[in-house]
């Protein structure tokens, strides 16, 4: 009996010395302590020993050997465990590696267009400015040559606030603020959110994006304006698009134009997006009115310039073939996920 234990001890010693990784240590655990191990079977067999004293001694020696094996294996497995972690840090774990969460978001389509336009315009030397969404009557209307009770106010139904301020109806407020702050000459764009108290349909939202543009210098003409608009549309659509220029009335420009784009949803045939007209109103623009310059302390005899107010959300509709403006603010992930 004693010999048996010595043999087990001896083979374990050899096997243990050869167990040079965690896997091998785990296998030894089963081999030497498991239900089918020699030691276990041996411990079950000592029941047949008649001599009680002898049985006690052998039983004790079995337990001592079991504990010894258990402790040695435990110690070694901890050691390899630590080693494995260290190795994985060394080989697989890079602290500088970017973490991409499983459900990472995507850039909103309007923002995509905005960023594209910012690249185009900064490339032409324009600076990007912004202004408040909660605005005073002065910056949203009066400084743009739209005094109180002027009929032009009716074209921009306004959300008035309790504090006598309003939610800006147009990004043109940024023109005025930029002129006051920087004077002339000036080349700016101002993308941002606008709000109008309108009933919603396929091409009208109560909250939508515009991008204002303003260029002031000496000897600026309508040709500069049209040239800039053409570059902008060509860059965005990556091809020539059909446009139409009509006279447009905005008190802050003279002359004023409506630059419409042939509807890219229906190809000009007429649909609910373009209200069956074949064209979509996209880019009102014009030469800055002398009164606007005067109010912002710029001399209209020295300087002139052009301004435009691009409908950014509508441009995104044309670019991505989206037939209804209401998708943009719907928060519908099925819609947003298409722009990854
Ligand atoms: C203006 O807001 C002028 N500030 C634009 C301007 C700037 C003219 C500088 C001249 C010089 P208008 O109200 O037309 O103009 O709006 C400009 C564009 O915003 C429209 O062509 C359209 O594309 C977009 N837009 C207007 N209302 C809505 C709406 N409810 N939903 C979505 N887009 C709209």
């Amino acid at each position: 009996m004693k010999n048996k234990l010595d043999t087990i001890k001896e083979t374990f010693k050899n096997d243990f010395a050869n167990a040079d990784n965690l896997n091998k240590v785990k296998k030894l655990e089963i081999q030497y302590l498991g239900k089918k191990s020699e030691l276990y079977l041996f411990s079950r067999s000592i029941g047949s020993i008649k001599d009680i004293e002898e049985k006690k001694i052998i039983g004790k020696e079995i337990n001592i050997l079991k504990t010894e094996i258990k402790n040695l294996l435990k110690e070694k497995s901890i050691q390899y465990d630590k080693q494995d972690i260290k190795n994985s840090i060394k080989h697989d774990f890079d602290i500088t590696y970017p973490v991409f969460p499983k459900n990472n978001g995507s850039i909103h389509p309007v923002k995509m267009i905005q960023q594209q336009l910012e690249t185009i315009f900064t490339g032409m030397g324009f600076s990007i400015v912004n202004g408040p969404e909660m605005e005073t009557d002065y910056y949203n209307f009066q400084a743009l040559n739209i005094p109180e009770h002027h009929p032009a106010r009716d074209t921009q139904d306004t959300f008035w606030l309790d504090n006598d301020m309003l939610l800006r109806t147009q990004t043109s407020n940024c023109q005025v603020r930029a002129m006051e702050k920087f004077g002339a000459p000036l080349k700016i764009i101002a993308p941002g959110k606008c709000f109008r108290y309108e009933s919603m349909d396929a091409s009208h939202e109560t909250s939508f994006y515009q991008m204002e543009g303003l260029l002031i210098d000496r000897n600026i003409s309508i040709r500069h304006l049209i040239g800039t608009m053409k570059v902008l549309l060509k860059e965005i659509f990556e091809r020539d698009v059909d446009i139409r220029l009509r006279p447009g009335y905005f008190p802050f420009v003279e002359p004023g134009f409506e630059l419409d784009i042939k509807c890219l949803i229906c190809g000009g045939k007429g649909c609910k997006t373009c209200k069956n007209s074949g064209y979509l109103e996209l880019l009102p623009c014009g030469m800055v009115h002398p009164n606007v310059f005067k109010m912002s302390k710029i001399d209209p005899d020295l300087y002139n310039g052009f301004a435009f107010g691009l409908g950014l959300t509508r441009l995104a509709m044309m670019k991505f073939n989206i037939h209804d403006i209401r998708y943009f603010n719907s928060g519908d992930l099925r819609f947003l996920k298409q722009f990854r």
Side-chain angles (χ1 to χ4, degrees):
M1 294 275 179
K2 181 98 169 50
N3 280 351
K4 179 91 179 161
L5 282 182
D6 286 342
T7 320
I8 295 175
K9 213 173 189 171
E10 208 48 44
T11 41
F12 174 74
K13 217 168 150 190
N14 278 338
D15 288 346
F16 185 70
N18 292 329
D20 53 7
N21 63 42
L22 191 61
N23 229 358
K24 287 185 184 167
V25 177
K26 295 275 174 215
K27 274 187 185 154
L28 288 188
E29 229 172 84
I30 300 167
Q31 189 182 330
Y32 283 92
L33 302 171
K35 285 268 160 66
K36 288 180 185 160
S37 67
E38 240 182 307
L39 196 56
Y40 181 79
L41 297 174
F42 182 49
S43 70
R44 303 286 302 210
S45 69
I46 62 169
S48 58
I49 298 175
K50 298 262 165 26
D51 184 337
I52 308 271
E53 268 320 298
E54 194 190 355
K55 202 197 281 188
K56 261 191 193 167
I57 292 166
I58 303 264
K60 197 174 168 191
E61 281 190 15
I62 289 173
N63 282 338
I64 289 171
L65 183 58
K66 253 194 209 167
T67 318
E68 208 177 300
I69 291 176
K70 210 182 200 169
N71 288 343
L72 282 168
L73 290 173
K74 193 173 169 191
E75 212 173 287
K76 207 166 194 175
S77 79
I78 290 173
Q79 184 191 325
Y80 282 131
D81 231 6
K82 280 187 188 160
Q83 191 59 43
D84 271 10
I85 292 172
K86 262 193 200 158
N87 287 345
S88 77
I89 289 174
K90 216 189 280 163
H91 299 299
D92 305 328
F93 185 74
D94 177 357
I95 202 159
T96 63
Y97 200 75
V99 178
F100 295 111
K102 220 169 157 204
N103 285 322
N104 54 339
S106 54
I107 296 187
H108 193 277
V110 174
K111 197 76 189 170
M112 275 185 196
I113 293 285
Q114 182 185 322
Q115 288 173 345
Q116 217 176 327
L117 285 164
E118 286 174 356
T119 308
I120 296 168
F121 276 94
T122 48
M124 292 195 280
F126 284 72
S127 309
I128 304 166
V129 300
N130 54 29
E133 289 174 2
M134 185 173 75
E135 189 52 285
T136 59
D137 184 296
Y138 177 78
Y139 285 107
N140 196 80
F141 291 125
Q142 291 171 39
L144 288 159
N145 206 23
I146 313 176
E148 246 181 282
H149 309 301
H150 193 288
R153 291 190 177 215
D154 296 342
T155 61
Q156 301 189 0
D157 290 317
T158 309
F159 285 109
W160 290 96
L161 305 174
D162 286 345
N163 56 1
D164 275 347
M165 292 180 85
L166 51 88
L167 294 182
R168 70 170 172 200
T169 55
Q170 49 188 347
T171 40
S172 303
N173 65 329
C174 302
Q175 278 194 30
V176 183
R177 287 179 177 276
M179 282 190 281
E180 274 185 6
K181 192 167 175 187
F182 305 111
L186 187 63
K187 270 167 109 178
I188 53 122
I189 50 164
K193 213 184 239 179
C194 304
F195 309 85
R196 291 194 193 173
Y197 183 54
E198 291 188 2
S199 46
M200 299 209 290
D201 60 28
S203 55
H204 291 82
E205 251 285 4
T206 50
S207 142
F208 58 96
Y209 281 82
Q210 280 188 354
M211 192 186 84
E212 193 77 7
L214 175 69
L215 184 145
I216 306 172
D217 213 324
R218 292 171 196 241
N219 304 319
I220 299 298
S221 73
I222 294 174
R223 288 172 64 186
H224 292 109
L225 163 64
I226 306 217
T228 311
M229 299 301 95
K230 277 193 170 161
V231 170
L232 133 72
L233 292 172
K234 191 164 182 181
E235 291 273 337
I236 283 287
F237 291 107
E238 295 160 55
R239 63 187 151 123
D240 284 319
V241 283
D242 284 337
I243 57 164
R244 153 178 109 170
L245 203 63
R246 317 175 264 130
Y249 175 66
F250 302 94
F252 35 98
V253 286
E254 180 55 39
F257 307 101
E258 285 285 3
L259 192 150
D260 303 335
I261 171 174
K262 190 183 257 184
C263 181
L264 297 174
I265 307 282
C266 63
K269 286 194 206 95
C271 65
K272 66 172 182 169
T273 309
C274 61
K275 295 216 170 80
N276 290 316
S277 69
Y279 281 85
L280 201 76
E281 197 185 292
L282 193 70
L283 233 171
C285 49
M287 303 304 289
V288 181
H289 197 290
N291 284 354
V292 174
F293 280 142
K294 277 184 212 152
M295 271 185 276
S296 293
K297 315 262 180 311
I298 291 176
D299 185 349
D301 292 330
L302 284 180
Y303 289 101
N304 67 344
F306 65 76
F308 60 90
L310 172 68
L312 217 52
T313 313
R314 286 207 191 148
L315 185 64
M317 287 174 81
M318 292 293 106
K319 168 83 179 172
F320 298 118
N321 242 307
I322 296 161
H323 59 85
D324 198 314
I325 199 168
R326 287 165 289 198
Y327 282 119
F328 290 102
N329 291 347
S330 66
D332 189 337
L333 292 180
R334 289 169 306 173
F335 170 71
L336 295 172
K337 277 180 180 166
Q338 296 174 57
F339 300 94
R340 288 198 160 174

